[in-house]
Every structure is written in structure tokens, then in C-alpha cells.
Amino acid sequence: MNPKTWRLPSDPKWWQAKILSVAILVALLGGWQYATSRAAFDPTGMNEEELMLLEFNGDIVLNDAGEYVYNEEKTSGVPGPLLVGKKIVEELSNPFHKNGTNDHGIAHLIFYTVTRFSIGFVLASIVAILVGVVVGLNPVIFNAVNPFLQVLKPISPLAWMPLLLYTVQKPTLTAILVVFMASLWPTIANTAFGLASIDKDYLRVSRMLEFGWFRRLFTVILPAAAPAIVAGLRISFGSALVAVVPAEMLLGELGVGYLTWIEWNNLDIAGVLFAILVVGFVGFLMDALFSKLSKAASYAT
Amino acid sequence: MSVFRRDPFDPDQSLEHQHHAGCMHGASPVDGADGSQGETPQCSSTSCHGEHEKAISTEDAISHAVETAVVKAIFGQSDLSRRKVLAAAGAGVVAEIVRGMFPLDTAKAMAMEVGKIEKPDLSIGFIPITCATPIIMAEPMGFYEKHGLNAKVRRASGWAMVRDWAITKEVDAAHMLSPMPLSITLGAGSPKVPFYMPAVENINGQAITLANKHKGVKTAKDMKGFRFCVPFEYSMHNYLLRYYLAEGGLHPDKDVQIRVVPPPEMVANLKAGNVDGYLAPDPFNQRAVYENAGFIFKLSKEIWEGHPCCAFAISQEFAKTYPNTFLALFRSIVDATAYASDKSNRKEIAKAIAPRNYLNQPVTVLEQVLTGRYATGMGGIGNVPDRIDFDPMPWHSMAIWILTQMKRWKHVDTDFDYKTVAEEVYLATKCNTLASEMGYEDRTETYAKHVIMGKEFDPAKPDEYLASFPINNL
């Protein structure tokens, strides 16, 4: 086939993609609703006792008209989009409530997760950049440390969890440290690599200009390595975002991961879907925010 | 829990009928203890629980207890002479005389005075199952508050988590399975930390649930090759399931698979056909029926009537550092347990513990579990009022039974003295004293013979009992 006959429209209108997005969404939701809808309850052929048993077990309820219908609260299998929508409205309409120790509104849960994540990520980034600079500036240290980095980097951050829990003992702190572990290695490795591969001419020039060590670090070395560092931070960010949700599930720490888990414990699949959407949405927002920041950082170079 | 609230100045009432342990305890342990055989429960649940009056405040209970103690001291242990005197002289006159002679109010004040609570803000870990009912409902229903505590319950998602929280002091006290304080104290499967078990949370309250496709199963023999789940290694669930299978001739480690799975996942696995059944805490047996995934094959009370299930546990260190706080907490639990044991309160409790902060379950499921009127999953409605019941007494004999099973299945390999461990961990005497101080049932014994699937267990001879099982891992 001639590749020239198969290419993007040369001048797409802005609304074309948008309409297509909406159409995909509608098709998905429609298909989902169709796949999960079931026929109305049909009581013919059932005696009084069977109906009573179904009602007792919560399968059916009497509606206002005095007829038996399926209990909407109880779904078998995956709930439809209408039910999930109802759940979303219900959760979002009261986002700031606090009913005791274990039931906090969605806004609080998001706040806990974002806080936990930010503390772990910022701490790890500071440590990782410092370590990365030291390792990256000295070829001997770089070669000595590199094998360790290569082994430590692929370890799943959650694998550290039992050890962390055993040593620090506090689940709250452990969750932060899991995020810390998740965001440490990619930044260290990238920073070290970025520094090690700076154009040697930059360094020669700065030496010729007789810059002090600090001045050389902040005006030449770090800006030159900035793209690599930012790339490292991006990888760290993604892996930390992946780690924070299961850490909350496993540690029972309030947050969006915890929400997913308690909805699952309740076998409330609509709730699980809502929680998944929240996780996705929070991740998307944070990622967008981070992109803005990293763009600003790389622009400065 | 036969709550003791009789007027000691009433000649028509006997003060003697406070020792009816057999009522609460299905296996009638008192009968067993004094040598006669504990066969079936002495009183039917209706006659026993019909005596329960509306809950009264602890102050009233203490006041009654003090009056009774004084009246008993005056008339000696002969109840007959008290009743004769009261009938002859008139209750009012005698009450006047006694109150004139003895500073009753002072005595009551002394009995009621609680030492300063060192640490009123407490956090208590729990697992969201109906067994935790007293621990949980004590919060919304104000039992902790009543005893001067600001206790918050914190939900854990698994037993290992609650154990770790308790060991690392993330929580001050915890809901545990009754074998856990023993296993932690012995250092089996966890760091060795000495724990107390001041009270049993609930008795009965578990069941064997099988997948719908196994409706034809009649006996343990039919379960050969099944894949089972239990919630934790060191649990009554595990020991009762193993016991049931072994009595039926199956070796639990060779003829079936038993794996540890968190209860909510059991229902999902049952639904998906990954497992054949489980012995789990409620509401997950009832939840399987509600989800049309399985049926209730056997209630655990049919294996051992009145067996302990979950427990209230606290580290020995906490109890020794904050003795008054510990006592207040202990009192709240005993109080809440007594309230939960009254069947007329069960519907109200189901509503109180259903919200998301606690069990996060449909009210109808919890109600079916707690009231004992439930859909069996086999097309019928079961009516077993003591499907789950509540009695705080941590019998030393129960601890010894659990220890024999730990040995039987090689869950501990250290050598220990049954009695020493049982008495160190299970605070039976203290629970008993506290309960009777508060006006609840008074028991004199802490050891009883239990009957499990028709086989008698004598706590005085654990080694002989252990040797009597043809199927074991010894």
C-alpha cells in the first residue's frame, strides 16, 4: 500500500476531535448500560413463599405501586453507568463530611493522598538530586555506585513496605516512605547520568572563567543537566503515583487507595468504580500540574 | 448475660438465682465444672432471656450490687432467713434499719469511684465483622463515653494488620481473634509480645459456607479435595474447620486445601468459583447468601455450642502503665457486651454498626446475622436466636483448648505449660470480678469442661485429649 494515501487530514478543525471524543464516550456508556441492564422482575409462576424469601434476602423490594421490582441497591455483576452516576453524585454532594475515624468525605481523602504523596515525593527529590549530583560529578563514585543503583532501581516500592513497617512501625510514616522509595531511584540515576554526560566544554569554560564550585554548580552544571533531572523526576512522579494507592490499601491509611479498598470490602462495585475514577482524576490533575512545573523548569535552561 | 438487678429488700425475690451460667453458655460450663455432665443448655433461650429487663445505668447496677452485698453480709448466706425477716418486719422497715446502721451511700460512692483515667483518648483497632459488635457499638452508643473515655475505633483491613497495629502501639487496644493473644504471647508467627485477653467479644457467630454447586454435600467426607478459606492462621475459624474435617475423617493439610484469605475476598472468590467454601466470620456467610453465591452449610455453634470467637486484646504493657484507663476500657467492653447479649437490642445494634464508619454493610444482612432469623441460601429461613451471642467470660479452659489445637496442627513448636499460658493471657478471674461488681452474672469457676462435636474436653488433661485424635500433625 502506498503510504502517501494514508495520512492525517491536513487541516483538522478543532471541533472534529472533540465531537469524536464525545461520540466515543456516548458509545461506551450506551454499550455499558445495555450490557448491564436486565429485564424487569417477573413474578409469574412464583408462589407467596418464594416471593417472601426473595424479599427477605433483599433481592426484590416493593415499589410505590405495590409491585415487586429488583432491589436497585443490590446488583449482581458490574453495575451500569446510571448506578455509578448515582454513586458519584451521592459522594460528591457531601465531600467534606467526617463521620468518625473511618468515614471521611472524598475531599478529605484526596487531600490525605495528595499530602502523603507530596511529602514523600519532595523529600525523595531533594535527596535524589543531592545524591545524584555527588555521584554524577565524580566518575570514580559513579562507577562504584552504579551497580547498586541498577539493582535497587527495579525493586517495586511496595516490596519495601514490610521492612519499612517493621523498622519505623508507624503506618502513616510508612506510606510516606513507600512514596519516597518509589521516587528515589529514577531521579538519582537520571541526575547522575545527566551530570556525567554534560558537554565537557561547558566545564572547561567555567574553569577558565575561574568560577567558584558553587557558582559552577548552579550556573553551569545544574542547568546543563536540568533536562535529564526533569526527565528523572517525571519517571519518579509516575512510579510514586502508582505506589501511593496500593500503599494506602495495604496500610489502611485514609486516602483514595483506602476508598477503593473499603468499597471492595463492602463488595460495592459502583463504589469501587467511583474510587477508580477518583484515582484517575487525581493522577491526571497532578500530572498536569507537574507538567506545568517541569516546563517552567526546562524553559529556564 | 443474666443481668443482676434484683431488689435485695424484696422478700419475694431470691438473691440466689444469680449463678445461672448455663443459660448464657450453651455448653453449661457450671454443670461441667461441678462434676455433672454438661449436656444441653439448661434453660431455653426464651425462659432465660425473658428475665432481661431494660438496660439500666451502671450507677444503678453498682448501687444494687452494694445493697445486695450489705444485705447478704447482714443475713449471711442464707437467703431463706433474709426473706423470712423481710416478710415479717416489712421490707421498708428493714431497709430503713439497714440504711441507718450502715453508710450505704458512702459505700456506693466508694464502689463507684474510678481512679483518674491516665489516658482518656484511645484508639481501638477493629476488623469490620459482626464479631466486633461490642467494641464497635460502644462508640456510637456511648459506652466508652459513659466510662470517661474518648475512644475512637479504627478499621483495619486484615488480622495481620490489626496485630501489627497492636504490637507497634498504633492502637491502644484491639479486636482480635481469641487465639491471637495466645499466639502473640508465645511468639508464634509474630514478634513475641505479652498480651492480655480481658474479654471474649462474642461466642458462636461463624459458619461454614459452601458454594451453591455443593448443595448435595452432607458430611465432611463429601468435601475431599475442596479448597477452603479461613481469615487467619491463628483463628477459631481455622481450628474449628480443621476439627470438623478431622472428625469427619479428612486430614485438613492433606485431603483439602485451606488458605488464608480476607473475608470480603472469600465472597468474591466463592462467586467466581475459585473456592468451594469457607469457615468465616459473619456477615460474610450471610453476605454470600445475599449475593446468591453460596449457602450456609453449618453454623459454628453446631460444632461447638458457645465457642469463643473474637476477643478484646490489650498489651500487658498498656494495662500495667495505665491501670485505670485499662479498667475503664474493660468496664465499657463488659457493659457493651452485656447490652449486645440482650436480644431485644439486636435490631438497634444492627442499625448502629451498619454505616460506612463501622461495618459498611447492608442493614438487612447484619440484622439477619444478629437476630438469627436468616435466609439459609437453601430456599428456607433459619431461626437460630443464638447464631451469634455475646459473653465476655474468657474461660481459661477455652485457652487450653486453643493451645491443644495449636499443638495438634503444629502452629507452635515451643514447649509451654498450658495452665500458665492460659492464666497469664486470659483474664478470666478479673473479668468475672469486674462483671459481678457491675451487677452482671457472677461465676466462681474459670475452668469448664466443653463438649465439641459430642467429644468432651477436660482442661485438666490437655495431653490426653491431644493424644486422643487419630488425625493430627504431631
Side-chain angles (χ1 to χ4, degrees), chain A:
Chain A
M1 194 208 266
N2 181 0
K4 279 191 179 164
T5 61
W6 198 84
R7 55 176 167 182
L8 285 168
S10 51
D11 186 19
K13 297 276 184 293
W14 65 270
W15 45 264
Q16 283 176 329
K18 295 270 186 280
I19 286 182
L20 195 59
S21 292
V22 172
I24 292 172
L25 184 70
V26 169
L28 280 178
L29 290 180
W32 179 10
Q33 180 65 41
Y34 178 75
T36 54
S37 61
R38 56 178 172 176
F41 177 68
D42 180 18
T44 46
M46 286 184 167
N47 61 29
E48 197 95 320
E49 202 179 320
E50 284 166 335
L51 283 174
M52 203 267 287
L53 201 63
L54 278 176
E55 190 184 8
F56 186 63
N57 199 30
D59 287 309
I60 52 175
V61 285
L62 276 177
N63 66 5
D64 296 336
E67 290 161 339
Y68 280 119
V69 289
Y70 278 121
N71 183 3
E72 246 198 51
E73 307 284 300
K74 183 175 168 181
T75 47
S76 45
V78 179
L82 289 178
L83 219 64
V84 177
K86 216 170 114 188
K87 178 86 185 172
I88 293 175
V89 171
E90 190 187 304
E91 292 282 345
L92 293 185
S93 56
N94 195 7
F96 292 104
H97 75 272
K98 260 192 189 177
N99 275 339
T101 343
N102 309 301
D103 181 12
H104 293 187
I106 185 67
H108 290 296
L109 295 184
I110 292 176
F111 174 75
Y112 300 140
T113 302
V114 171
T115 312
R116 193 168 292 137
F117 177 88
S118 310
I119 296 174
F121 179 70
V122 168
L123 282 181
S125 302
I126 294 170
V127 172
I129 292 175
L130 289 178
V131 174
V133 166
V134 172
V135 173
L137 285 181
N138 188 324
V140 178
I141 298 183
F142 183 87
N143 286 327
V145 170
N146 198 27
F148 294 104
L149 284 182
Q150 296 310 322
V151 173
L152 288 170
K153 208 169 59 165
I155 297 175
S156 158
L158 288 168
W160 294 100
M161 214 190 69
L163 185 69
L164 292 171
L165 198 57
Y166 184 76
T167 43
V168 303
Q169 303 210 334
K170 292 266 165 221
T172 321
L173 203 56
T174 305
I176 292 176
L177 285 175
V178 167
V179 175
F180 180 88
M181 282 312 215
S183 33
L184 197 61
W185 313 114
T187 309
I188 292 186
N190 267 44
T191 306
F193 178 77
L195 261 72
S197 54
I198 294 175
D199 195 334
K200 294 292 173 287
D201 286 342
Y202 291 178
L203 297 175
R204 265 180 234 124
V205 171
S206 66
R207 205 167 295 137
M208 247 161 57
L209 292 172
E210 293 184 344
F211 277 9
W213 193 83
F214 270 99
R215 193 162 175 205
R216 202 163 77 212
L217 182 68
F218 284 102
T219 56
V220 180
I221 298 173
L222 284 183
I229 295 175
V230 169
L233 287 174
R234 282 211 80 132
I235 301 170
S236 293
F237 189 87
S239 88
L241 209 53
V242 169
V244 71
V245 169
E248 283 172 353
M249 285 181 180
L250 289 170
L251 292 166
E253 286 293 298
L254 288 174
V256 293
Y258 173 85
L259 178 71
T260 321
W261 201 245
I262 59 156
E263 294 295 14
W264 161 239
N265 272 356
N266 185 27
L267 300 166
D268 181 350
I269 307 302
V272 170
L273 284 168
F274 167 70
I276 292 173
L277 288 175
V278 171
V279 171
F281 190 68
V282 171
F284 166 75
L285 281 188
M286 289 179 67
D287 198 49
L289 189 74
F290 186 74
S291 292
K292 278 243 157 64
L293 287 176
S294 68
K295 256 190 205 129
S298 39
Y299 203 66
T301 64

Side-chain angles (χ1 to χ4, degrees), chain B residues 130-145:
Chain B
T130 42
C131 303
T133 296
I135 287 181
I136 302 172
M137 59 157 254
E139 188 189 292
M141 294 187 148
F143 282 88
Y144 294 127
E145 225 178 340

